[in-house]
Amino acid sequence: MNEAQRHHGILSLLEEKQSINVSHIIDAFQVSPATARRDISKLDELGKLKKVRNGAERIVGKKRKWTPLNIDSTEHYREKSHIAIRAAELCQPGDSVVINCGSTAFMLGQQLCGQDVQIVTNYFPLASYLINEDHEDVIIIGGQYNKAQNIFLNPAPDALGGYAGHWMFTSGKGLTESGLYKADMLTAVAEQQMLEQIDKLVVVVDSSKVGQRTGMLFCPTSKIDMVITGKDAPAKVVSALEAQGTQVMLV
């Protein structure tokens, strides 16, 4: 794992927690105390976090959260747009496609909008976009609206049993040879209900997340049919995924 990937992982940890200490970084990334402190100092200098005694705190309100109106300002926009284009090319006329939340997912939905595919989603911004753009076949998975994640959540264990799809595209906070990790448990549990209902699971993550182990394990590599990511993804992780039978596409 290089420094840039480690820095991304540290900032992802701070998205989950208000603060972290040096020990968190040492345990999460298997680095020395000196490296952990140096990472904190560099990110503090860049204004990405606030350095405190023996750790760091999240800077609240500094980063503008992306929305469909400012999608081009999201981190790694160019790479994510290439990923979305490649993912859309997998879908054939008449396919049913499950798309989950996130900026890459939204861009994938933009690519598929207007095509002869059924889009199944619980992601409110994407559903609103598709309806506004008159996409003909949209299924919105119902439930209680979660404002923080902009998704609908249904706590019933078999709530999604009636849905199915040829493809399911999802992202996460980290991807290793062990599988895909997600930071938000509620989102992860909602998506896990769909895993048995789809034919192919495709993970779409930008290369900065490959090699990161952040949050909870959403699904093991054995359940992932394909990964689409950027060319800067660590070769070691890519090889480990392919050795387990997962197809990896680099864009």
Side-chain angles (χ1 to χ4, degrees):
M1 181 185 302
N2 61 35
E3 184 183 84
Q5 292 169 332
R6 199 167 60 246
H7 285 183
H8 176 84
I10 291 170
L11 295 175
S12 293
L13 283 176
L14 281 173
E15 288 181 11
E16 301 173 56
K17 309 173 184 291
Q18 178 63 41
S19 63
I20 58 174
N21 56 39
V22 172
S23 296
H24 284 134
I25 298 174
I26 294 171
D27 293 341
F29 307 106
Q30 301 298 302
V31 296
S32 68
T35 298
R37 292 188 177 92
R38 185 164 61 249
D39 285 342
I40 290 174
S41 295
K42 286 187 176 182
L43 288 168
D44 178 72
E45 291 173 4
L46 292 170
K48 298 293 183 66
L49 53 73
K50 180 181 178 181
K51 182 180 178 181
V52 297
R53 180 179 175 84
N54 200 41
E57 291 181 350
R58 183 174 65 213
I59 298 178
V60 179
K62 189 169 180 75
K63 179 182 175 183
R64 182 176 65 159
K65 184 177 180 180
W66 80 269
T67 70
L69 297 178
N70 69 353
I71 185 68
D72 59 342
S73 69
T74 188
E75 289 185 318
H76 310 289
Y77 169 76
R78 184 177 296 274
E79 184 177 309
K80 289 178 178 179
S81 65
H82 289 320
I83 291 170
I85 291 169
R86 183 61 62 87
E89 291 173 350
L90 296 173
C91 304
Q92 301 298 313
D95 280 355
S96 179
V97 181
V98 180
I99 304 178
N100 295 313
C101 65
S103 54
T104 306
F106 184 84
M107 284 188 269
L108 172 56
Q110 286 182 310
Q111 292 294 322
L112 292 174
C113 185
Q115 297 188 31
D116 179 22
V117 294
Q118 179 184 78
I119 298 178
V120 182
T121 187
N122 65 345
Y123 190 37
F124 183 67
L126 176 57
S128 297
Y129 173 85
L130 293 170
I131 292 170
N132 187 62
E133 295 296 319
D134 293 325
H135 186 75
E136 290 192 2
D137 199 348
V138 183
I139 295 179
I140 303 173
I141 301 173
Q144 182 177 357
Y145 180 63
N146 182 289
K147 183 178 180 180
Q149 298 295 328
N150 290 315
I151 61 174
F152 293 100
L153 296 172
N154 195 322
D158 297 319
L160 304 181
Y163 299 99
H166 297 94
W167 302 94
M168 177 173 171
F169 295 93
T170 191
S171 188
K173 287 295 183 182
L175 176 69
T176 72
E177 61 274 12
S178 299
L180 178 67
Y181 291 80
K182 290 181 179 285
D184 189 273
M185 185 174 295
L186 287 176
T187 304
V189 170
E191 292 181 22
Q192 281 175 333
Q193 296 181 47
M194 286 294 295
L195 289 180
E196 302 303 323
Q197 311 299 124
I198 49 95
D199 295 332
K200 298 282 187 180
L201 175 63
V202 182
V203 171
V204 288
V205 291
D206 64 78
S207 57
S208 69
K209 294 171 183 166
V210 180
Q212 304 291 335
R213 184 179 282 104
T214 303
M216 66 171 285
L217 181 65
F218 170 73
C219 69
T221 302
S222 59
K223 287 189 174 292
I224 301 173
D225 295 287
M226 184 183 300
V227 171
I228 307 178
T229 187
K231 294 178 181 178
D232 292 331
K236 183 178 179 180
V237 180
V238 170
S239 296
L241 291 169
E242 292 177 329
Q244 297 179 69
T246 299
Q247 182 181 354
V248 180
M249 300 176 67
L250 301 178
V251 299

